[in-house]
Amino acid sequence: MQGINEVEGKVAIVTGAASGIGRAITELLVARGARVIAEDIDPAVLAMESPSVVPLVADIAAEGSAEKAVALAMDRFSRLDLLVNNAGIIINKLVVDMSRDDWERIMNVNVTGAFLHSREAVKAMIPQRSGAIVNVASYASYFAFPTIAAYTASKAALAQLTRTLALEAIGHGIRVNAVGSGDVLTNILNTVAPDGNGVAALAAHGKSAPIGRAADPEEIAEVVLFLASERASFMVGSVVMADGGMSVKVGS
């Protein structure tokens, strides 16, 4: 496998690209020679525009957003090689306190958005008989925690979407895999942390992992890049755990 230059010349879509893991993935892809459609509901994504980054402000779960992202890749770069379904949200409520709107918003962003983007990406990749999809799952895909039932259910669904789509897509030369991330220093908990400091909450919880800390977004981005590259050419339907050993600890 020596001599493979990872993703140079590839075209990618990254959802949730404006901050955290998504921004780290986008920056790493660009640094390694890829061009990226950076999609996010946050208009801050517009500031990422460059010759290699085309920003798109969109709600990934909204009707037509996936089609728009793929069409933008084809219009600007004439192909689509990679999709990273990274966007995700979390709500911190007991099941008895959770509204249907709470539940559906989590599922729409974390699962339906990934489904819609994967469906449209595969359609674009089939004619070229190549491509890769990487989903950002979690150790919460496998383990339950009080107050985040919708999040854990959504990440479990994402893991199963990964496996099932992998079987359907590999015959077209398209690989589908996921990374099961642990606690990562991002702003995902800002709206649920009592003091609004989600990064501090994640840093504190990360200390309970065997590695003794939370991850930097760049560490998860490296795993995503590996799964997206030809270095992972024999990986199909895998959920690669990058959680500092949290799943090993929880499962013991």
Side-chain angles (χ1 to χ4, degrees):
M1 301 295 286
Q2 291 183 352
I4 290 177
N5 198 10
E6 295 182 313
V7 295
E8 185 172 8
K10 302 290 187 181
V11 176
I13 295 171
V14 178
T15 68
S19 62
I21 297 172
R23 189 179 187 98
I25 292 167
T26 300
E27 291 175 349
L28 184 58
L29 284 168
V30 170
R32 301 289 172 85
R35 293 165 292 178
V36 180
I37 306 299
E39 184 178 2
D40 204 293
I41 197 170
D42 186 348
V45 74
L46 294 172
M48 297 174 66
E49 186 171 10
S50 75
S52 297
V53 178
V54 178
L56 172 63
V57 179
D59 178 346
I60 64 163
E63 192 69 32
S65 291
E67 290 88 342
K68 187 173 183 179
V70 171
L72 191 55
M74 300 302 291
D75 179 61
R76 294 294 186 93
F77 304 119
S78 302
R79 62 183 296 113
L80 176 63
D81 303 289
L82 311 172
L83 166 66
V84 181
N85 286 308
N86 163 74
I89 59 173
I90 191 168
I91 294 175
N92 189 28
K93 290 183 180 180
L94 295 169
V95 169
V96 295
D97 296 326
M98 188 178 296
S99 69
R100 180 168 181 161
D101 285 345
D102 291 335
W103 175 269
E104 290 183 349
R105 182 57 182 161
I106 291 283
M107 290 297 176
N108 284 340
V109 174
N110 296 5
V111 185
T112 303
F115 154 69
L116 293 171
H117 281 68
S118 296
R119 183 186 67 186
E120 298 308 312
V122 167
K123 290 178 184 178
M125 293 171 180
I126 283 175
Q128 66 200 32
R129 294 199 58 80
S130 67
I133 296 173
V134 183
N135 296 321
V136 178
S138 170
Y139 71 98
S141 298
Y142 303 102
F143 303 102
F145 302 93
T147 74
I148 57 168
Y151 181 80
T152 58
S154 72
K155 290 300 184 177
L158 188 58
Q160 284 296 81
L161 174 62
T162 298
R163 297 185 183 100
T164 305
L165 182 57
L167 292 177
E168 296 179 0
I170 192 57
H172 300 286
I174 304 164
R175 294 182 305 102
V176 185
N177 293 286
V179 54
S181 67
D183 294 313
V184 186
L185 299 174
T186 72
N187 62 6
I188 191 172
L189 293 185
N190 281 3
T191 59
V192 301
D195 61 356
N197 191 342
V199 175
L202 286 160
H205 193 265
K207 292 179 181 178
S208 64
I211 201 170
R213 63 175 178 83
D216 290 320
E218 291 76 14
E219 292 179 288
I220 305 303
E222 289 284 358
V223 182
V224 170
L225 189 75
F226 167 72
L227 292 173
S229 77
E230 287 303 311
R231 291 181 296 148
S233 58
F234 202 59
M235 301 186 72
V236 177
S238 299
V239 181
V240 178
M241 303 309 293
D243 63 357
M246 189 69 85
S247 56
V248 178
K249 175 183 176 181
V250 174
S252 63

